[in-house]
Amino acid sequence: MSAILVTGAAGFIGFHVSKRLLQDGRAVIGVDSLSDYYDVQLKMDRLEQLKECSAFRFSNMDLADREACEKLFGANDIVEVIHLAAQAGVRYSLVNPHAYVDSNLVSFVNVLEGCRHRNVSHLVYASSSSVYGANKNLPYSVQDNVDHPVSLYAATKKANELMAHTYSHLFGLPTTGLRFFTVYGPWGRPDMALYRFTRAILAGEAIDVYNHGRMRRDFTYVDDVVEGIVRTVQRIPKALRDGSVDETDPSRSHAPYRVYNIGNHQPVELIEFITILEQTLGRKAKKNMLPLQPGDVLETFANVDELMQDVGYRPSTPLDVGLRRFVDWYLSYHGVDLPSS
């Protein structure tokens, strides 16, 4: 049976994408290494949700293992790939750079090779808003220069885009990169700010607020992101060799290659984000006001015009609604009752 491959299926976004595809009647092969970067039990619990559907098959493997990756593609009829597996986190790249090389570079070339040799019809992969680095133009546009990353994580994501273009150019492999902007929602990662803030506020512990809360992020609810991913898979980029493509535009090419931003297009200051979370929890946060950290950027703000035009992407979840859904999930998952005032 033909299937769509979702790498990082036990991860935050990968879980939600796999769940949506299964609901749409697709057969899904999920791959994940179940690394211990954060709580493995959370990953296992996500997988248990997916395994309730008979159309889901799971393989516990490291995509950096070339032989295992070759077997994965060789043994299955994979028609499309959504590559979300990666070593995430900006700050962690300062202390464990080799994890990013293995997970974000070696694994990616193995996936590219699998797609190339099995004639996969479309590879959609996760890039990141981090690629904009020191860029000062706002909102961030896919036409902007992204040659000045400020973290190794960002550099590996920029490298993924370059590697994808090479395979699109040389082998005609259709590839689309999606630059994610601060995705949040139920089943999120414990290392992300929303999860950490919620846990600390409920425990009466202080939260670290970098740059004194004067950072803006384009917080994007996970269901909106999933909708954008699913729509993007269905729009396969075409090779355009008729001179209609501006070769100075880094987001497109004469090859079957595209890059899009996928964000909310409504940046929110971190301190406002915390205020809404406090209101949702009914608790005030104790705040450690700290300076900007190495590798962080002051603001992310996505121009999503191209994605809206090409696939009909329309982020629609207000921040207060998304935070309420996360908190409801968090309380249920951890069996926590909101403390009385």
Side-chain angles (χ1 to χ4, degrees):
M1 176 188 297
S2 62
I4 184 166
L5 173 65
V6 179
T7 72
F12 171 37
I13 301 176
F15 159 72
H16 283 281
V17 168
S18 298
K19 187 176 180 180
R20 165 63 185 274
L21 291 169
L22 292 168
Q23 290 171 345
D24 288 349
R26 296 296 306 272
V28 176
I29 299 173
V31 169
D32 204 290
S33 67
L34 300 178
S35 75
D36 61 0
Y37 171 64
Y38 63 84
D39 183 15
V40 175
Q41 187 59 52
L42 177 59
K43 300 180 181 182
M44 298 299 295
D45 291 340
R46 292 178 184 136
L47 284 176
E48 286 304 310
Q49 297 265 321
L50 298 177
K51 289 178 180 178
E52 292 178 0
C53 180
S54 60
F56 180 76
R57 289 175 285 160
F58 177 70
S59 178
N60 181 357
M61 62 168 287
D62 185 349
L63 291 167
D65 183 335
R66 180 166 45 173
E67 182 178 351
C69 199
E70 290 173 351
K71 289 180 178 178
L72 171 71
F73 279 90
N76 296 282
D77 183 13
I78 297 170
V79 292
E80 297 145 329
V81 175
I82 301 176
H83 179 57
L84 302 172
Q87 177 58 60
V90 169
R91 297 186 187 107
Y92 187 60
S93 67
L94 302 177
V95 298
N96 191 359
H98 295 289
Y100 291 77
V101 173
D102 294 339
S103 295
N104 299 4
L105 299 180
V106 177
S107 294
F108 192 61
V109 77
N110 288 342
V111 169
L112 285 168
E113 278 289 283
C115 292
R116 167 198 173 191
H117 290 293
R118 302 302 295 184
N119 295 315
V120 166
S121 65
H122 194 190
L123 167 63
V124 176
Y125 62 94
S127 186
S128 168
S129 62
S130 297
V131 301
Y132 289 103
N135 182 8
K136 303 299 183 184
N137 296 328
L138 292 171
Y140 291 152
S141 168
V142 288
Q143 279 80 45
D144 290 340
N145 181 288
V146 291
D147 290 338
H148 299 90
V150 296
S151 70
L152 181 63
Y153 170 70
T156 62
K157 289 300 184 179
K158 168 63 174 176
N160 287 168
E161 296 178 5
L162 296 173
M163 295 160 73
H165 183 269
T166 302
Y167 273 69
S168 295
H169 170 73
L170 291 175
F171 309 115
L173 172 66
T175 67
T176 302
L178 293 173
R179 294 173 177 171
F180 294 118
F181 280 70
T182 317
V183 186
Y184 75 99
W187 295 97
R189 298 201 324 260
D191 63 307
M192 298 179 75
L194 176 55
Y195 207 117
R196 291 187 289 107
F197 288 172
T198 300
R199 183 201 61 78
I201 293 171
L202 290 175
E205 300 170 357
I207 61 175
D208 292 336
V209 182
Y210 294 107
N211 202 47
H212 305 277
R214 295 191 299 273
M215 297 190 296
R216 294 210 304 167
R217 291 290 181 268
D218 206 345
F219 295 103
T220 314
Y221 189 65
V222 66
D223 286 358
D224 293 332
V225 167
V226 169
E227 180 66 28
I229 293 172
V230 171
R231 287 173 176 261
T232 299
V233 170
Q234 298 166 357
R235 184 178 177 85
I236 301 175
K238 305 295 183 183
L240 299 174
R241 303 185 183 277
D242 57 2
S244 62
V245 174
D246 179 0
E247 294 293 350
T248 65
D249 181 350
S251 71
R252 66 186 72 211
S253 170
H254 63 272
Y257 166 91
R258 284 305 307 263
V259 171
Y260 296 105
N261 288 333
I262 183 164
N264 197 40
H265 195 60
Q266 294 182 354
V268 174
E269 195 165 58
L270 180 59
I271 202 69
E272 180 183 349
F273 176 86
I274 294 171
T275 298
I276 297 173
L277 180 59
E278 289 173 324
Q279 294 169 350
T280 305
L281 292 169
R283 287 289 177 272
K284 296 290 290 183
K286 301 174 183 177
K287 305 177 185 71
N288 289 329
M289 295 299 191
L290 300 170
L292 191 69
Q293 296 294 289
D296 278 350
V297 296
L298 283 173
E299 184 168 13
T300 63
F301 181 6
N303 180 328
V304 295
D305 289 350
E306 287 84 359
L307 194 61
M308 293 173 70
Q309 175 180 325
D310 289 354
V311 308
Y313 173 70
R314 295 287 188 278
S316 60
T317 308
L319 182 59
D320 60 336
V321 173
L323 289 181
R324 165 51 63 189
R325 291 175 183 171
F326 171 81
V327 168
D328 287 345
W329 167 81
Y330 182 96
L331 297 175
S332 174
Y333 180 76
H334 290 284
V336 175
D337 293 323
L338 283 177
S340 57
S341 301

